C-alpha cells in the first residue's frame, strides 16, 4: 500500500523564514523549493561547498564531525529554528561538518547563489542569519562542554530535549545505536541510560521510537547546559514574524 503524500508545510513553520519582511519574502519565494527529507539523507559533505541552504520545517538535521578513523559525533542540531548551510553566508565555501537528516520531514531549500546574493545585498535577512549563526556557535560550545564534563545520562536527556524543541510532537524516531553515534559514546551506555529513564516513567522506548511521557522530569534530569540552549531557542522564536504573501 502506497502511503499518502504529506501535506506541504508552510514556510513560516521555519522561524527564520517567518521573520522575513514582506519585501524580502517577495524576492525569496521564487527560489524557495519545498523538499521531503528522508532519515539518513546527507545534505552536505564535510569539506564540500553546499549546493543549497536548507530551512527545515518538520525535519531535524544533525551536524556531525568525523574523525579520520570514521567515528563521528554530533556538534549541533538544526530544526525549524534555523538553517543548514551557514558557511554560504559566512564568507566561506566549504563546511567542516557533515549535515545528515536525523528525523525525516520537510524543508525549504534555497540555491547557494541566491544565498550569496543576499549576503551581497546586506539586507535585513543577513542580520537574522548572522544572529542565528551566533546561536549555533553557542550550541556547539555547550555541546563540547557537556560531552567533557557531564554524565551520559545527562547528555542523553539534553539531546532528547533539543530534539523535542524542534518537533511538533513528543516523539522522536531514533535508535539507541544512532543516539550513541550522535553522542560519541558506546551503545551499551545509551541503553543503560535510556532504561533508567524508562523505568522512571520519563520516556517510553520501542523499536526506535522514543515517546517522552514526562518532559518536566526530563528537564530535571538533564544538566545545566540545556537551560541556556532553551533560552536562546526562545529568543530566536520571539522574532516578530512578518506577514507572508500567499
Amino acid at each position: 500500500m502506497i502511503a499518502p503524500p504529506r501535506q506541504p508545510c508552510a514556510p513560516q513553520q521555519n522561524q527564520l523564514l517567518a521573520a522575513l519582511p514582506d519585501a524580502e519574502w517577495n524576492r525569496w519565494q521564487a527560489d524557495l523549493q519545498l523538499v521531503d527529507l528522508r532519515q539518513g539523507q546527507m545534505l552536505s559533505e564535510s569539506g564540500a561547498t553546499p549546493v543549497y541552504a536548507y530551512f527545515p520545517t518538520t525535519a531535524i538535521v544533525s551536524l556531525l564531525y568525523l574523525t579520520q578513523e570514521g567515528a563521528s559525533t554530533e556538534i549541533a542540531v538544526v530544526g525549524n529554528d534555523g538553517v543548514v548551510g551557514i558557511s554560504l553566508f559566512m564568507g566561506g565555501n566549504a563546511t567542516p561538518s557533515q549535515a545528515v537528516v536525523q528525523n525525516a520531514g520537510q524543508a525549504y531549500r534555497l540555491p547557494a547563489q541566491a544565498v550569496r546574493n543576499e549576503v551581497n545585498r546586506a539586507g535585513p535577512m543577513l542580520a537574522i542569519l548572522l544572529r542565528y549563526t551566533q546561536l549555533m556557535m553557542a550550541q556547539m560550545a555547550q555541546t563540547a562542554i557537556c560531552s567533557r564534563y557531564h554524565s551520559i545520562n545527562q547528555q542523553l536527556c539534553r539531546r532528547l530535549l533539543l530534539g523535542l524543541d524542534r518537533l511538533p510532537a513528543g516523539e522522536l524516531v531514533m535508535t539507541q545505536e544512532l543516539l550513541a553515534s550522535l553522542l560519541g559514546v558506546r551503545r551499551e551506555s545509551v541503553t543503560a541510560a535510556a532504561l533508567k529513564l524508562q523505568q522512571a516513567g520519563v520516556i517510553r522506548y520501542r523499536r526506535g521510537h522514543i515517546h517522552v511521557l514526562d518532559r518536566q522530569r526530563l528537564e530535571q534530569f538533564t544538566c545545566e547546559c540545556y537551560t541556556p540552549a532553551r533560552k536562546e531557542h526562545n529568543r530566536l522564536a520571539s522574532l516578530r514574524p512578518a506577514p507572508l504573501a500567499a
Side-chain angles (χ1 to χ4, degrees):
M1 182 177 179
I2 300 176
R6 296 182 186 178
Q7 291 297 319
C9 293
Q12 59 264 42
Q13 287 186 238
N14 178 280
Q15 294 171 14
L16 299 185
L17 293 181
L20 280 169
D22 283 338
E24 304 289 310
W25 172 250
N26 291 335
R27 188 174 62 255
W28 277 45
Q29 62 178 336
D31 292 320
L32 282 171
Q33 178 186 8
L34 178 65
V35 292
D36 287 307
L37 303 180
R38 65 184 185 278
Q39 187 177 41
Q41 180 178 348
M42 189 175 301
L43 302 184
S44 62
E45 287 270 16
S46 175
T49 301
V51 179
Y52 297 95
Y54 290 85
F55 296 83
T57 52
T58 58
I60 292 183
V61 179
S62 288
L63 302 186
L64 305 174
Y65 186 85
L66 279 67
T67 67
Q68 291 183 347
E69 291 75 23
S72 65
T73 187
E74 185 180 66
I75 59 175
V77 185
V78 183
N80 60 5
D81 60 325
V83 58
V84 178
I86 61 175
S87 64
L88 292 173
F89 55 85
M90 287 297 293
N93 290 318
T95 174
S97 60
Q98 185 182 79
V100 180
V101 178
Q102 297 302 345
N103 282 79
Q106 294 183 334
Y108 281 83
R109 70 183 187 184
L110 190 69
Q113 188 56 52
V115 178
R116 296 189 185 99
N117 291 342
E118 184 63 30
V119 173
N120 293 334
R121 287 187 68 258
M125 189 55 183
L126 179 59
I128 296 174
L129 293 173
L130 291 177
R131 177 179 175 182
Y132 173 72
T133 301
Q134 183 180 18
L135 301 185
M136 280 290 291
M137 293 172 63
Q139 184 187 155
M140 292 178 184
Q142 289 161 359
T143 299
I145 292 293
C146 193
S147 63
R148 175 66 178 84
Y149 291 105
H150 298 136
S151 69
I152 293 175
N153 290 6
Q154 292 172 316
Q155 293 180 52
L156 174 61
C157 291
R158 175 179 176 268
R159 179 56 181 84
L160 294 179
L161 287 166
L162 290 177
L164 288 178
D165 288 342
R166 293 158 175 82
L167 286 176
E171 183 175 280
L172 298 165
V173 181
M174 305 180 79
T175 64
Q176 293 182 3
E177 184 176 0
L178 173 59
L179 279 167
S181 175
L182 296 178
L183 297 177
V185 300
R186 296 170 61 244
R187 179 179 176 179
E188 293 79 3
S189 300
V190 170
T191 300
L195 181 60
K196 288 181 181 179
L197 291 176
Q198 185 159 267
Q199 291 174 339
V202 177
I203 67 170
R204 181 174 64 243
Y205 179 83
R206 185 180 181 187
R207 298 180 180 178
H209 290 256
I210 302 174
H211 184 74
V212 176
L213 305 175
D214 192 335
R215 178 176 176 129
Q216 184 175 0
R217 292 185 67 197
L218 185 64
E219 292 185 9
Q220 293 172 352
F221 289 158
T222 194
C223 55
E224 68 267 24
C225 293
Y226 173 67
T227 301
R230 178 62 176 172
K231 288 181 179 178
E232 294 298 335
H233 182 271
N234 289 340
R235 280 178 54 202
L236 191 64
S238 69
L239 287 172
R240 186 183 181 125
L244 292 178

